[in-house]
Amino acid sequence: MAGCSGKADEAAGADAFFERRFADLQGVSAAMSDYRGKPVLVNFWATWCAPCVKEMPDLDALQSEFPQVAFVGIGIDSAANLSQFVQKIPVRYDLYEAQASGLELMRALGSNTGGLPYTVLIGADGRILQSFAGQISKEALRPQLRRMAAGT
């Protein structure tokens, strides 16, 4: 687990997310600015990443537990691969295709390594609250999600 540093970097990183558009798995372009003003968990993942695949059912369960928090999956993969994946392991949160451009956004959101999975928690005020490099557990996320859902 890695926390973020620097208030200016946090604001800039969150803006980088909100300024982007990605296609959903049906090919429809969506503005990430639609998530502005809400607490958001952004998870970067790929179908070929074993830790990513392993944590997705946990993220899906947490999304059901904390409906006040928007969960967004940014796939560093093709739409075809992502669509095939969710046929086998369905998730109910929003998934978008970023391919390699997602790696640039990960760096803007504080990833130093570019490794997957990478998860960023953004508060309703647009500040990055915390980031996690590598696979995360429900237990590690639950306290922060509880605070985000409560607006604290």
Side-chain angles (χ1 to χ4, degrees):
M1 284 182 253
C4 295
S5 62
K7 298 285 183 208
D9 291 51
E10 291 172 357
D15 285 345
F17 169 73
F18 293 123
E19 292 167 358
R20 299 296 301 268
R21 293 186 74 84
F22 294 110
D24 66 16
L25 299 190
Q26 290 72 46
V28 177
S29 179
M32 299 302 102
S33 61
D34 290 347
Y35 296 101
R36 193 180 292 277
K38 304 171 189 170
V40 184
L41 177 149
V42 182
N43 177 257
F44 294 87
W45 69 287
T47 59
W48 43 262
C49 165
C52 301
V53 172
K54 189 170 181 185
E55 77 181 4
M56 288 188 82
D58 285 345
L59 292 175
D60 191 56
L62 286 167
Q63 186 271 327
S64 294
E65 189 177 336
F66 297 98
Q68 310 90 328
V69 178
F71 281 59
V72 176
I74 305 292
I76 313 297
D77 214 326
S78 71
N81 287 346
L82 298 172
S83 294
Q84 286 177 350
F85 174 84
V86 296
Q87 296 300 315
K88 297 175 197 164
I89 302 177
V91 295
R92 293 166 285 193
Y93 55 89
D94 297 337
L95 297 176
Y96 299 100
E97 170 200 8
Q99 295 195 22
S101 72
L103 297 173
E104 172 191 315
L105 180 56
M106 280 175 46
R107 286 186 189 91
L109 294 174
S111 173
N112 296 324
T113 66
L116 295 172
Y118 184 69
T119 303
V120 180
L121 303 178
I122 303 172
D125 62 359
R127 288 187 316 111
I128 294 175
L129 303 173
Q130 193 168 9
S131 61
F132 301 87
Q135 185 178 335
I136 51 177
S137 69
K138 287 193 284 190
E139 295 73 27
L141 276 175
R142 194 173 274 120
Q144 187 69 18
L145 291 172
R146 194 173 291 121
R147 286 189 290 278
M148 290 170 70
T152 59

